[in-house]
């Protein structure tokens, strides 16, 4: 960008010319006929300015592939909303009809069944992706001042996505889903004092019944998605406010006068840098690129690969449908989805009087540690090698969770 | 806060707040009531006869799974749900166990090789009297509220209500 206007009284144009020419990005033969109507539309709406504001943001140049994980998570969530809305065209939330409506998809509606497969594989992918995105922001210490709330809103999103997964699993009302509903809605009953009441509210009574399904359905399609959308909005707002931190590779100094080099960077920073409230050293990446199209291209590559994976798995594997719900079985073993195996295994370790402790205190401590991480980790370093005080315990924590899952697999599948 | 003159600005702000509060309250009362309604909804007691005929032939010391179509006593109308009743005769006692595990409510079955009720989920074990003897279950097996009905031929039938003796 030229800086001919710097220091003068003439404000720079709101949208620099070469970035504002969105129509020019479209191949001329296609764009040609629309140039006039685009100009008309822009004049009435200011769409160019809006697009410019939304798309042109400096992001760190190095490590861009690692920063695709957040937008990939967003894309898969959009896939979930999209397929979920279409499932609603056929699914009936009633204990007498839910199973039949999905069986109907299986036998009579190939495309509906495919949509259901995408919704399931999308959920699996989302769980994995949100975990990897959290891991990468953890390793790069992106949660340090002033990005504490990026992290905390992220952890809350993670919990919400877990809740989406568990409520969604209850809806088909096949055997797997019915018994999941029984076990999961029973958990709150171990809360002291209010336990039975909370379980009754969720179930609609002491036993699982028609209200259990409608109440869980309301959670899955309205309550949780509304919270999810609000929180995603907050998460992205904070991202734009502080700018992408990226990772330590963007903050190395190369001269023998780092102070001067950093001061220089701050002077030449493009918005949203220098990050407000950040330690100067980490307030401006050494080099940046425009989000559009540089980062967006990488984001799209990763999202495409993931959507292809979801699409293909939905075709070749689809979503399972067990027999219809039957409360009178003798040996049905509900197997939790893979991402709930660690929690299910905890249930084995905490018998009788310790159940409440295991379910609420142990899990609650784990959740609090995750939420409070930005306040626990006071180490100013960002490079993982110089943060063994948090990385070692964290990997021990992650290792324990994986070990629990493996014990659960071993127990449930007798490997 | 002074109780004296209220400025125009204060009046507008407080008035807006009060009106917004009223709107919120009006919407909250029925909404929260609907949410909490299961807490005070009465559970209608309904009795059904356990299927599979009279229980006279059930052997002593061998819990036997029978089915009962149990109507729910709450919520919108829904078909009765088949449930397991483990009819158990032991040392002169008759038990009508519900096979819901007291841990996380999986389905419990009588395991002849162990002479115990076993739960497949986390390995809970119960004695023939329903006492929890191993694994995570915190309470004994619960029984259906039940009674025995004798017909004109002197045959015994088991009847259960749609609720358990102890809440699990
Ligand atoms: C619905 C789920 C989520 C969505 C849609 C989402 C979206 C995003 C996006 C688009 C970015 C910017 C690109 C990037 O750095 O990857 C981002 C950054 C970030 N996210 Fe998430 N995220 C989600 C969940 C989480 C979770 C579970 C955590 C942590 C526990 C988290 C923590 C962060 C942090 C700390 C940043 C700032 C990274 C930086 O500035 O270097 N997010 N998120
Ligand atoms: S549900 Fe029976 S042992 Fe856990």
């Amino acid at each position: 960008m030229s800086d001919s206007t710097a220091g003068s009284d003439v404000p720079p144009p709101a949208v620099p010319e070469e970035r504002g020419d969105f129509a020019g990005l479209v191949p001329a033969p296609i764009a040609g006929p629309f140039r006039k109507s685009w100009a008309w539309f822009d004049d009435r709406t200011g769409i160019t300015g809006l697009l410019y504001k939304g798309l042109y943001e400096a992001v760190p140049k190095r490590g861009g592939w690692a920063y695709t994980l957040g937008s990939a998570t967003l894309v898969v969530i959009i896939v979930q909303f999209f397929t979920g809305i279409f499932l609603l065209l056929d699914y009936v939330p009633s204990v007498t009809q839910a199973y039949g409506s999905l069986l109907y998809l299986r036998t009579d509606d190939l495309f509906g069944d495919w949509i259901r497969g995408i919704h399931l594989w999308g959920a699996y992918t989302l769980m994995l992706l949100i975990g990897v995105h959290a891991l990468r922001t953890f390793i790069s210490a992106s949660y340090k001042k002033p990005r504490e709330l990026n992290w905390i809103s992220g952890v809350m999103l993670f919990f919400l996505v877990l809740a989406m997964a568990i409520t969604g699993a209850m809806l088909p009302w096949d055997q797997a889903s019915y018994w999941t509903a029984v076990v999961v809605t029973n958990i709150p009953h171990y809360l002291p004092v209010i336990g039975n009441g909370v379980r009754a509210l969720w179930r609609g009574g002491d036993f699982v019944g028609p209200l259990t399904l409608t109440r869980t359905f309301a959670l899955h399609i309205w309550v949780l998605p509304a919270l999810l959308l609000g929180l995603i909005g907050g998460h992205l707002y904070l991202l734009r406010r502080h700018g992408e931190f990226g990772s330590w590779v963007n903050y190395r100094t190369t001269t023998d006068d780092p102070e001067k080099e950093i001061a220089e960077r701050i002077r030449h920073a493009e918005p949203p840098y220098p990050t407000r409230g950040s330690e100067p050293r980490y307030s401006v990446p050494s080099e940046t690129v425009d989000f559009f199209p540089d980062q967006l291209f990488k984001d799209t590559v990763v999202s495409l690969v993931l959507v292809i994976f979801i699409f293909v798995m939905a075709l070749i594997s689809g979503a399972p449908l067990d027999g219809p719900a039957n409360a009178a079985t003798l040996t049905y073993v509900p197997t939790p989805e893979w991402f709930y195996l660690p929690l299910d295994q905890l249930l084995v370790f905490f018998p009788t009087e310790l159940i409440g402790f295991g379910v609420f205190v142990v899990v609650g401590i784990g959740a609090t540690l995750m939420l409070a991480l930005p306040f626990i980790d006071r180490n100013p370093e960002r490079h993982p090698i110089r943060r063994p005080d948090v990385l070692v315990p964290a990997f021990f924590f992650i290792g324990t969770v994986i070990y629990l899952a493996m014990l659960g697999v071993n127990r449930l599948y007798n490997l | 806060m002074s109780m004296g003159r209220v400025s125009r600005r204060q009046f507008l702000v407080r008035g807006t707040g009060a009106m917004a509060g009223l709107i919120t309250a009006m919407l909250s009362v029925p909404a929260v009531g609907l949410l909490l309604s299961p807490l005070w909804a009465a559970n209608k007691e309904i009795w059904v006869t356990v299927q599979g005929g009279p229980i006279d032939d059930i052997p002593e010391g061998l819990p036997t799974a029978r089915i009962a179509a149990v109507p729910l006593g709450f919520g919108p109308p829904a078909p009765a749900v088949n449930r397991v009743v483990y009819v158990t005769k032991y040392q002169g006692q008759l038990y009508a166990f519900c096979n819901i595990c007291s841990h996380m409510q999986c389905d419990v079955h009588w395991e002849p090789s162990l002479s115990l009720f076993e739960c497949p989920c986390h390995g809970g074990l119960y004695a023939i009297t329903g006492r929890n003897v191993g694994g995570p279950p915190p309470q004994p097996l619960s029984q259906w509220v039940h009674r025995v009905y004798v017909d004109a031929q002197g045959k015994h039938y088991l009847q259960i209500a749609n609720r358990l003796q102890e809440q699990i």
Side-chain angles (χ1 to χ4, degrees):
Chain A
M1 253 204 307
S2 87
D3 54 355
S4 59
T5 52
S8 83
D9 290 339
V10 186
V15 179
E17 186 138 358
E18 94 274 19
R19 286 172 169 183
D21 183 18
F22 290 102
L25 296 171
V26 181
I30 304 176
F34 297 104
R35 274 199 171 265
K36 270 212 151 121
S37 28
W38 174 258
W40 183 92
F41 189 67
D42 186 30
D43 186 48
R44 304 304 188 278
T45 58
I47 182 84
T48 299
L50 206 64
L51 281 173
Y52 172 74
K53 258 187 102 111
L55 292 174
Y56 283 102
E57 178 95 332
V59 296
K61 181 171 179 187
R62 307 187 57 204
W65 290 104
Y67 321 145
T68 62
L69 293 162
S71 68
T73 308
L74 184 60
V75 166
V76 177
I77 286 192
I78 293 169
V79 167
Q80 294 304 90
F81 273 89
F82 180 80
T83 48
I85 288 170
F86 275 86
L87 283 174
L88 283 178
L89 299 188
D90 281 15
Y91 171 81
V92 188
S94 121
V95 287
T96 49
Q97 281 172 284
Y99 178 77
S101 67
L102 297 182
L103 191 63
Y104 165 77
L105 294 188
R106 168 116 323 158
T107 53
D108 290 86
D109 185 351
L110 168 70
F111 292 111
D113 207 39
W114 195 3
I115 286 277
R116 199 179 151 232
I118 296 177
H119 202 65
L120 181 74
W121 283 95
Y124 288 168
T125 309
L126 180 58
M127 292 311 311
L128 206 66
L129 207 52
I130 201 170
V132 183
H133 171 58
L135 193 64
R136 105 87 185 131
T137 57
F138 170 69
I139 291 175
S140 63
S142 294
Y143 51 81
K144 288 179 189 273
K145 190 182 172 214
R147 296 185 181 80
E148 297 94 332
L149 291 175
N150 297 46
W151 174 265
I152 290 170
S153 61
V155 175
M156 286 160 62
L157 280 167
F158 176 66
F159 296 154
L160 273 177
V161 167
L162 277 176
M164 284 298 282
I166 206 67
T167 49
M170 296 185 199
L171 301 181
W173 221 246
D174 61 353
Q175 274 289 67
S177 140
Y178 172 79
W179 287 100
T180 302
V182 170
V183 171
V184 171
T185 56
N186 192 50
I187 290 174
H189 127 91
Y190 284 102
L191 282 169
V193 189
I194 57 167
N196 284 333
V198 175
R199 180 177 68 182
L201 292 190
W202 194 351
R203 287 186 171 177
D206 287 337
F207 290 104
V208 166
L211 290 175
T212 317
L213 181 54
T214 47
R215 287 181 168 227
T216 305
F217 177 71
L219 283 174
H220 187 76
I221 69 145
W222 276 114
V223 182
L224 297 173
L227 294 173
L228 202 63
L229 283 184
L231 263 176
I232 290 176
H235 196 68
L236 296 185
Y237 163 75
L238 290 171
L239 174 76
R240 290 300 295 256
R241 179 184 156 88
H242 301 134
E244 172 85 17
F245 169 72
S247 56
W248 65 96
V249 293
N250 297 290
Y251 301 90
R252 292 185 188 130
T253 44
T254 46
T255 57
D256 21 308
D257 191 356
E259 302 277 307
K260 188 167 156 237
E261 201 180 340
I262 289 163
E264 200 62 17
R265 273 184 208 165
I266 293 176
R267 193 149 358 147
H268 292 118
E270 271 200 72
Y273 304 110
T275 302
R276 273 170 278 187
S278 167
E279 222 183 299
R281 202 179 150 190
Y282 296 110
S283 65
V284 189
S286 54
E287 287 173 280
T288 59
V289 290
D290 287 335
F291 171 73
F292 175 85
D294 293 55
Q295 182 66 34
L296 186 62
F297 181 79
K298 292 178 181 161
D299 285 355
T300 310
V301 170
V302 173
S303 294
L304 174 67
V305 170
L306 289 167
V307 173
I308 289 176
F309 170 74
I310 294 168
F311 188 80
V312 170
M313 288 312 287
L315 253 190
I316 60 182
S317 173
L321 194 62
D322 237 341
N326 177 6
T329 52
L330 293 179
T331 53
Y332 187 83
V333 192
T335 46
E337 292 285 11
W338 52 269
F339 41 84
Y340 275 103
L341 281 168
L343 294 176
D344 192 52
Q345 187 62 22
L346 276 184
L347 293 176
V348 178
F349 287 148
F350 294 98
T352 57
E353 295 80 29
L354 295 175
I355 297 168
F357 175 78
V359 170
F360 299 110
V361 181
V362 172
V363 175
I365 289 176
T368 311
L369 284 177
M370 279 170 75
L371 281 168
L373 173 69
F375 308 107
I376 297 170
D377 177 9
R378 293 268 162 211
N379 183 341
E381 293 290 344
R382 310 278 169 127
H383 196 294
I385 296 285
R386 287 190 287 277
R387 294 160 53 224
D389 50 331
V390 274
L391 269 114
V392 172
F395 280 105
F396 181 75
F397 178 82
I398 295 169
T400 309
V401 170
I402 293 175
Y403 182 62
L404 283 173
M406 280 163 37
L407 286 178
V409 170
N410 191 48
R411 172 174 55 86
L412 289 162
Y413 302 96
N414 293 314
L415 295 181
Chain B
M1 187 181 79
S2 91
M3 294 304 289
R5 271 183 62 93
V6 174
S7 75
R8 177 185 151 79
R9 189 177 152 76
Q10 280 171 334
F11 171 79
L12 294 180
V13 170
R14 289 175 199 172
T16 307
M19 289 186 290
L22 204 60
I23 292 174
T24 309
M26 281 191 293
L27 289 177
S28 300
V29 171
V32 172
L34 168 64
L35 178 69
L36 300 185
S37 60
L39 293 183
W40 50 77
N43 195 50
K44 193 148 49 67
E45 184 161 300
I46 304 170
W47 284 82
V48 292
T49 304
V50 173
Q51 296 168 5
I55 56 170
D56 302 83
D57 296 339
I58 287 178
E60 161 85 14
L62 183 65
T64 303
R66 290 282 188 85
I67 301 289
V70 183
L72 283 173
F74 63 89
V81 179
N82 280 348
R83 300 266 181 193
V84 170
V85 186
Y86 258 114
V87 187
T88 303
K89 294 179 180 169
Y90 184 66
Q91 297 186 341
Q93 287 266 26
L94 176 68
Y95 301 91
F97 291 119
C98 164
N99 80 327
I100 297 178
C101 183
S102 71
H103 180 224
M104 286 294 160
Q105 307 209 334
C106 284
D107 54 346
V108 168
H109 64 276
W110 177 253
E111 182 53 52
S113 65
L114 301 171
S115 286
L116 292 170
F117 288 101
E118 188 186 20
C119 176
C121 279
H122 315 100
L125 296 170
Y126 303 84
I128 193 168
T129 55
R131 199 158 54 81
N132 46 324
V133 292
Q139 266 174 251
L141 278 181
S142 191
Q143 296 188 61
W144 294 100
V145 170
H146 62 278
R147 64 188 180 209
V148 173
Y149 160 81
V150 190
D151 73 0
Q153 283 79 43
K155 297 270 189 208
H156 296 72
Y157 292 83
L158 189 62
Q159 296 184 324
I160 63 167
N162 58 348
R163 63 186 175 89
L164 300 178
Q165 282 183 359
E166 295 92 26
Q167 187 164 45
I168 50 172

